[in-house]
Amino acid sequence: MQNSQKAVHLWDREDISKTARLQTMLAHKPLSLIVSLPGNDLILARAAQEEGADALKVHYNVGHRASGNHFGPLDEYTEVFRAIRSEFGGPFGVVPSGSIEGTRREDVERLAGLGFNFYSIYAHHLPSFMLHDPGMEATFAINDAYDVSLVESAAHFGFTALEASIVPGKEYGTPLSFADVLHYRQLVLKAGVPVLVPSQRKLVPEDVPVLHHSGIKAIMLGAIVTGKTEDQLRRAVSSFRNAIDRLGQKEPSGSEQSVPDLLTAGHSVPKSSFAGHMDHSDPTKLSDGSGSGRDGS
């Protein structure tokens, strides 16, 4: 439960705008931990929160390769989505479809009212109407077939982050390689928005310093790493939470930094509320904080 209290500390202390929670998290944590739930289940959501997830993501109207699950229409999950939202204060996201034809305007227009802060969808599944303000932050995913140079235009359209879902499906569940890290680094340099890495590879906690060093802003744990049961998910989330927390162990005690007014909608924030969560370290120094120096979404 201690991890859960640390993860939601930001939202307890400051009235962050509901449409800036993801942006604020990515800006003020050295590396964030997002859990893409393998099922739309309140027990799994509680487990992820209690073990230290910074953000949660769910799905509807999509087949999910990594978990093997098929998620039905939005109406099947409205109550559980509301229940998760009522217990979780951090950024809460949703994948609204697995195809452009299945992305329905009437469903998307309901999402903010269900408590979602952001949506996540492949660029080729994202219809133009979603580029207009739906009352949520926008993230998009690319796969291994995308022309990397195209992502440079994302910031122009107001996207909060890019999800680098670039591992070919036949390679899901294999270890992280340096070739992967080079691809992630290239996206970090080109995207102009924060880059999130889903655990399409069989990521392990030892990968955390390497991914942080590459410049990514969040690891998104999905079924390949979390498994499908509560116990499996707890172990996975806890191990990554601990690895991420070790990134900041070399920071001087009492280091403080205020939050930019732009991200806090004009509110002042007690500096102490962010102690331990700010990135004071040099990301080019590869360390896990101990002196030694890896999901489909």
Side-chain angles (χ1 to χ4, degrees), residues 125-146:
H125 295 161
L126 197 161
S128 59
F129 74 81
M130 289 182 68
L131 295 175
H132 304 288
D133 182 14
M136 298 179 290
E137 294 175 273
T139 75
F140 73 104
I142 63 171
N143 62 25
D144 59 302
Y146 276 69

Side-chain angles (χ1 to χ4, degrees), residues 160-198:
T160 299
L162 164 66
E163 184 177 326
S165 300
I166 58 175
V167 175
K170 64 182 180 181
E171 298 180 23
Y172 278 19
T174 57
L176 184 76
S177 72
F178 181 51
D180 298 318
V181 175
L182 290 174
H183 284 301
Y184 296 145
R185 180 61 180 166
Q186 183 183 32
L187 287 172
V188 167
L189 294 174
K190 286 186 171 292
V193 296
V195 176
L196 322 178
V197 169

Side-chain angles (χ1 to χ4, degrees), residues 60-61 72-79 81 94 106-108 110-111 114 116:
Y60 73 87
N61 195 29
L74 178 61
D75 286 340
E76 289 186 17
Y77 308 113
T78 53
E79 292 309 311
F81 289 163
V94 62
E106 54 266 40
D107 286 344
V108 172
R110 297 168 59 192
L111 296 178
L114 293 174
F116 288 106

Side-chain angles (χ1 to χ4, degrees), residues 10 26 93 139 191 213 245:
L10 174 62
L26 296 174
T139 75
H213 179 59
D245 289 347

Side-chain angles (χ1 to χ4, degrees), residues 146-160:
Y146 276 69
D147 178 349
V148 173
S149 67
L150 295 178
V151 304
E152 297 177 11
S153 301
H156 173 77
F157 293 98
F159 281 88
T160 299

Side-chain angles (χ1 to χ4, degrees), residues 41-94:
D41 185 288
L42 181 59
I43 292 175
L44 294 177
R46 284 174 178 163
Q49 178 180 3
E50 289 171 4
E51 299 302 331
D54 294 310
L56 300 177
K57 190 176 82 169
V58 293
H59 307 72
Y60 73 87
N61 195 29
V62 62
H64 192 236
R65 182 198 296 263
S67 69
N69 287 343
H70 178 78
F71 296 92
L74 178 61
D75 286 340
E76 289 186 17
Y77 308 113
T78 53
E79 292 309 311
V80 70
F81 289 163
R82 287 192 179 100
I84 294 171
R85 174 77 286 175
S86 71
E87 296 188 10
F88 180 67
F92 187 31
V94 62

